[in-house]
Amino acid sequence: MRQRVHPRPPWIRSLLAVATLVAGLLVAAPAAQAVPAKTPPLTTPWTAQALSGTPLPEYPRPQMTRPDWQNLNGEWQLRQSATDDPPQFGTTLPERVNVPFPVESALSGVRRSPGDDRSWLYYRRLFTVPAGWAGRQVQLHFGAVDWQTTVWVNGVQVGSHTGGYDAFTFDVTARLNGGSNELVVKVFDPSDSRQNGTLPPIGKQTRTPGGIFYTPSSGIWQTVWLEPTPAASISSVDLYPSLADNRLRVRVFTRGNVSGHSVLAEALDGSTVVGSATGGFTEFSVPVPNARRWSPDDPFLYHLRVTLRGSGGATVDRTTHYFGMREITTGLVNGVLRPKLNGQFVFQVGTLDQGYWPDGIYTAPTDAALAFDLQKHKDLGFNMVRKHIKVEPQRWFYHADRLGLLVWQDVPSLTAQDVNPTDAQQAQFEAEAREIVDEHRSSPAVVAYTVYNEGWGERALADTRRVGQAVKDQDPTRLVNTHSGYNCCQSLGNPGNGDIDDWHVYVGPDSPQPSGSRIAVLGEFGGLGLRTPRHEYSPNGNFLAYEWQPDSTALTNRYVGLVQGSRNLMIGRGLSASVYTEITDVEGELNGFLTYDRQVVKMDQARVRQANQELIAASKALGNSTPVALPVGQRRSLRVTTPGYTDRYLRHRDSLAYTEVVTAASPALLKADATYTIRAGLADPTCYSFESVNYPGQYLRHAYSRVRNSPDDGSALMRADATWCARTGLTGSGVSLESYNFRGSYLRHYDSQVWLSNGAGGDAWNTPTMWTADSTWTVAEPWAP
């Protein structure tokens, strides 16, 4: 099948031009005859468009483009088998399937049962190489196939691959016949059946879908395509921005004989070359003067033109790329370890994005659909997305890059069931992880890798630590989350290494304590559910959420409260990022902002956006939480700073702490109750304790969150409970008193009572509303001198 080839378009300046560039590289294929789709359980806005021509006709690899290519998506022949049969050549197979939709999907035209035990899939199609490609090598590319793949061209095996989430390529030139060529692909995908002793990385796939595990996606599920290249050619390019010197580090990998060859790399702002450099096949750098920083607020993309030149300087091969000048690091902000984007702390607020579709399952029905979920993140005010134990096609990362979303990329896990991988199975998991990291080095959006999740597939804590460190060594330019949710489920415990300390708390929010080496994040929380009849589907008829809400207003109110709680944890505890579960419903899990069919936004989008944006803005203007010196040995009173209540003071009554209006006319007893002597902290002399003036030997302490007076009994617990560390007020002025033994929790008044509170929500006294004001006090002159 010959396809029309467009010439390379001119470079243009705007981010929209990046999309235009990729679109201009498309080779318009004659409409492929598609198998009629089966009826999906739910219809998305793109279902009807998915098979109207060649499925997913867009250029599949925006990060490295050439002008000539041929899309092999569309109708293929199919045979399914429960046994490992030999491939059949020159034989028409009995079924038809739409590639690249997995066979369990409606858009594949098959929609087989999730529990189907025919684990071997045989694909067949014919193709013709365009005559204009004569004299060049022909590369056969697979975006992803789940899980073990063997490929034949004209009856000769050209290669095999194991791994369900990474791309692979075979040079098929030697097997082409100059006319119609036969392509046969055999796939073995046992999913979670343990067939033949297998244990592949599968993420959320299961043959018995229900709850938080979903319908499997077997076989070819990303674009298959052909590309002509010179005999000596560029195979990949790694790009690393360096902000310290405004340069782009470049490393070019090749295939074929490149002896005596060199590389010219040119950075472009639109059509203008802003920097260039010549190098070989080790790392070299290209200047990018006055580099414009890439960020979610300004996702500016430069272009990069890479030219492979022969010994005489003639062009041998050329590819075009893009890059963003950004860096992700960690550093102290007011004494708290934080992630820094381009040197600034920005709270990363995102969702769990699992990438499932009711019509295509693992495969989005169209490229517009693939971009939709990411655009919806932007619409809802998020700046980050956690791609949860799945790896999307390269075009998804391109959309994240151009839209400006920070991506936490999970490594797809082994089964979540109790499992002890063999050495070979563990090695395969690690090999697939390495491929995922290698393939996404150049995406500016990708800022973190998550290696393990809640203990799924974990066999030993030593392995967990080792694999996390291996990923960090492989790509030290990004953050590594060795184990997300190590406090949950079947996890073997805190790995203690990597850049991120990650809790899962449903409904939450809550936060681990940041340390000297790891930032604190809330890797999963939320899960608020709302039923939406006619827009929901469950394979087993059951539906779940972590907390149900009766309507959209209640759902939105609850979410906004969770965001305020997260903001308070950011200020008080040191939380630096949060991941809400989740962007869309997935099968029987109904806790999305959107329904599974993407037809209904279940919350008030404007209010969600405002809450998220206010959280991000607060992080950029984070107040000073440095220690405050108090006058040890002197008497003082603590006055409320909450507007409308500034005539109230902390006092004790019947041992419990309250706030009450105190004036010059107040009784002497009330004035004495509202006065404390400031002492060096009973548990830490760098902090403080507050001794009652009319009950000497009794100190202000917390017990079961309530604040009271208690005698010093000498116990370590009492002394810790009665020790408070003075910080700059959470509102930016005054003083806030942080618990010595519950860091991130502060002395807070609520409804006249006084509590230990982190403002994260839950109990009424822990409400996020007014937490910063209620937890800020003025250290005033004593009422009882």
Side-chain angles (χ1 to χ4, degrees):
M1 178 173 62
R2 174 98 186 232
Q3 296 189 338
R4 179 167 54 88
V5 177
H6 287 236
R8 191 181 309 275
W11 294 99
I12 48 183
R13 290 183 178 276
S14 67
L15 285 181
L16 178 61
V18 181
T20 305
L21 168 67
V22 177
L25 289 168
L26 303 184
V27 181
Q33 185 176 6
V35 182
K38 300 292 186 182
T39 301
L42 294 171
T43 301
T44 73
W46 307 273
T47 303
Q49 306 166 22
L51 303 178
S52 61
T54 299
L56 299 173
E58 294 80 11
Y59 192 90
R61 191 186 57 199
Q63 185 53 272
M64 176 176 160
T65 67
R66 291 187 178 93
D68 297 346
W69 72 292
Q70 180 174 316
N71 194 327
L72 296 184
N73 291 345
E75 180 181 327
W76 289 47
Q77 298 171 18
L78 175 71
R79 180 170 67 90
Q80 305 179 73
S81 177
T83 57
D84 185 6
D85 308 329
Q88 299 173 0
F89 306 115
T91 300
T92 300
L93 303 184
E95 299 178 75
R96 299 293 178 269
V97 62
N98 294 317
V99 167
F101 296 105
V103 293
E104 291 85 358
S105 71
L107 288 175
S108 72
V110 180
R111 198 188 175 189
R112 77 177 196 182
S113 166
D116 197 307
D117 65 356
R118 291 174 293 174
S119 301
W120 284 268
L121 304 173
Y122 298 82
Y123 295 82
R124 178 179 182 266
R125 69 156 291 163
L126 304 179
F127 68 93
T128 302
V129 175
W133 294 7
R136 288 185 279 178
Q137 304 296 111
V138 176
Q139 311 298 330
L140 173 61
H141 299 288
F142 293 84
V145 182
D146 198 1
W147 170 61
Q148 287 183 337
T149 308
T150 310
V151 179
W152 293 262
V153 173
N154 295 324
V156 178
Q157 183 174 325
V158 296
S160 60
H161 176 79
T162 299
Y165 298 92
D166 60 305
F168 55 98
T169 298
F170 304 123
D171 187 326
V172 298
T173 313
R175 305 306 169 199
L176 301 176
N177 60 22
S180 178
N181 297 277
E182 181 186 46
L183 172 60
V184 173
V185 178
K186 171 187 172 182
V187 182
F188 172 57
D189 183 21
S191 298
D192 61 343
S193 67
R194 314 288 180 95
Q195 191 170 3
N196 294 350
T198 56
L199 188 66
I202 54 173
K204 289 289 194 83
Q205 300 181 71
T206 178
R207 291 192 173 184
T208 56
I212 65 169
F213 299 98
Y214 318 124
T215 301
S217 292
S218 300
I220 299 172
W221 68 277
Q222 291 187 26
T223 292
V224 184
W225 55 295
L226 297 171
E227 178 186 40
T229 65
S233 64
I234 300 164
S235 60
S236 65
V237 179
D238 286 350
L239 308 176
Y240 304 94
S242 175
L243 300 192
D245 54 5
N246 279 336
R247 304 183 75 87
L248 179 72
R249 295 158 46 207
V250 177
R251 184 173 184 186
V252 176
F253 298 85
T254 60
R255 61 172 72 87
N257 183 2
V258 294
S259 177
H261 289 53
S262 64
V263 174
L264 170 65
E266 301 168 284
L268 299 99
D269 178 352
S271 61
T272 303
V273 176
V274 297
S276 64
T278 301
F281 307 109
T282 57
E283 186 179 291
F284 63 99
S285 62
V286 178
V288 189
N290 302 311
R292 184 171 166 182
R293 305 303 197 232
W294 182 99
S295 73
D297 294 330
D298 183 21
F300 181 79
L301 297 175
Y302 288 92
H303 309 303
L304 185 73
R305 188 163 55 211
V306 179
T307 304
L308 180 65
R309 303 190 296 190
S311 56
T315 296
V316 173
D317 190 20
R318 174 172 288 168
T319 55
T320 56
H321 310 251
Y322 66 84
F323 64 93
M325 292 296 288
R326 72 100 186 94
E327 67 179 7
I328 186 75
T329 58
T330 61
L332 292 177
V333 178
N334 297 327
V336 177
L337 194 68
R338 303 284 193 181
K340 290 187 173 183
L341 179 67
N342 303 332
Q344 181 184 26
F345 169 50
V346 179
F347 192 94
Q348 298 182 29
V349 55
T351 81
L352 204 69
D353 183 346
Q354 308 202 68
Y356 276 77
W357 300 83
D359 46 13
I361 307 181
Y362 250 22
T363 308
T366 68
D367 189 63
L370 189 68
F372 174 84
D373 284 0
L374 292 171
Q375 181 60 59
K376 189 54 64 176
H377 279 84
K378 297 291 287 189
D379 296 343
L380 290 164
F382 292 102
N383 63 3
M384 177 263 281
V385 53
R386 179 184 174 194
K387 178 49 65 175
H388 193 38
I389 48 182
K390 178 197 177 188
V391 184
E392 295 285 3
Q394 286 289 344
R395 290 195 63 85
W396 184 91
F397 292 90
Y398 158 66
H399 291 310
D401 293 334
R402 69 175 179 84
L403 290 171
L405 277 165
L406 306 175
V407 173
W408 294 7
Q409 178 59 60
D410 288 8
V411 174
S413 65
L414 305 176
T415 178
Q417 310 308 317
D418 292 335
V419 61
N420 186 23
T422 65
D423 288 346
Q425 291 163 346
Q426 179 71 21
Q428 179 61 33
F429 167 77
E430 295 177 31
E432 295 192 34
R434 286 192 296 272
E435 289 298 318
I436 290 165
V437 173
D438 275 344
E439 283 189 21
H440 300 96
R441 289 181 183 276
S442 302
S443 167
V446 177
V447 295
Y449 288 107
T450 299
V451 184
Y452 283 92
N453 181 80
E454 295 182 352
W456 301 358
E458 188 180 24
R459 71 171 187 175
L461 201 54
D463 281 329
T464 304
R465 295 189 182 106
R466 177 180 54 78
V467 179
Q469 185 59 50
V471 171
K472 186 67 177 181
D473 293 343
Q474 187 180 355
D475 188 354
T477 70
R478 290 181 169 89
L479 305 183
V480 170
N481 187 352
T482 300
H483 197 158
S484 181
Y486 69 81
N487 64 319
C488 175
C489 315
Q490 62 210 50
S491 166
L492 299 179
N494 187 350
N497 68 339
D499 302 296
I500 297 173
D501 194 321
D502 183 325
W503 281 2
H504 293 180
V505 182
Y506 287 101
V507 171
D510 205 343
S511 173
Q513 193 74 36
S515 65
S517 60
R518 294 193 296 169
I519 63 172
V521 311
L522 183 54
E524 292 182 28
F525 81 112
L528 307 177
L530 177 65
R531 297 292 300 269
T532 312
R534 301 183 303 280
H535 297 280
E536 54 191 34
Y537 160 73
S538 170
N540 64 5
N542 297 324
F543 296 98
L544 70 90
Y546 293 95
E547 178 183 291
W548 292 106
Q549 296 296 321
D551 54 43
S552 178
T553 299
L555 182 67
T556 305
N557 290 342
R558 185 75 166 101
Y559 175 76
V560 170
L562 295 182
V563 174
Q564 181 63 62
S566 300
R567 179 175 173 176
N568 294 342
L569 288 167
M570 174 189 73
I571 295 169
R573 182 76 67 84
L575 182 67
S576 288
S578 62
V579 180
Y580 179 84
T581 300
E582 57 194 311
I583 185 61
T584 73
D585 295 346
V586 181
E587 296 192 351
E589 203 175 349
L590 301 186
N591 44 30
F593 286 97
L594 287 84
T595 53
Y596 190 26
D597 58 8
R598 277 70 166 179
Q599 302 276 9
V600 178
V601 179
K602 297 197 284 184
M603 294 192 201
D604 182 327
Q605 181 168 298
R607 291 186 60 207
V608 169
R609 178 180 177 83
Q610 180 180 359
N612 290 335
Q613 290 291 293
E614 288 177 351
L615 171 57
I616 293 168
S619 71
K620 295 178 180 179
L622 193 65
N624 190 350
S625 61
T626 54
V628 172
L630 300 182
V632 175
Q634 298 185 29
R635 294 182 177 187
R636 289 294 186 270
S637 295
L638 296 176
R639 180 170 62 84
V640 171
T641 66
T642 305
Y645 299 90
T646 55
D647 56 352
R648 303 180 73 90
Y649 291 78
L650 186 148
R651 62 86 54 100
H652 61 86
R653 186 178 73 235
D654 299 327
S655 296
L656 295 176
Y658 298 89
T659 65
E660 190 167 329
V661 174
V662 185
T663 69
S666 296
L669 177 61
L670 174 56
K671 291 179 178 180
D673 287 348
T675 304
Y676 286 85
T677 302
I678 300 174
R679 304 295 188 190
L682 296 176
D684 183 342
T686 66
C687 295
Y688 303 94
S689 293
F690 297 86
E691 184 180 14
S692 170
V693 299
N694 51 349
Y695 288 89
Q698 291 193 12
Y699 291 83
L700 194 69
R701 61 89 59 97
H702 61 84
Y704 303 104
S705 299
R706 190 70 164 87
V707 177
R708 64 190 66 236
N709 275 11
S710 291
D712 179 11
D713 61 7
S715 69
L717 177 60
M718 189 279 163
R719 290 184 159 232
D721 288 349
T723 299
W724 306 86
C725 300
R727 312 292 187 196
T728 299
L730 297 175
T731 60
S733 62
V735 64
S736 292
L737 298 172
E738 183 181 22
S739 168
Y740 169 77
N741 52 349
F742 287 86
R743 295 300 169 93
S745 294
Y746 290 78
L747 186 76
R748 186 253 180 102
H749 68 87
Y750 178 81
D751 195 22
S752 298
Q753 299 177 347
V754 182
W755 297 84
L756 183 68
S757 171
N758 63 16
D763 294 299
W765 48 264
N766 206 38
T767 176
T769 305
M770 299 300 294
W771 176 76
T772 55
D774 292 350
S775 300
T776 300
W777 305 81
T778 294
V779 180
E781 291 301 308
W783 281 110

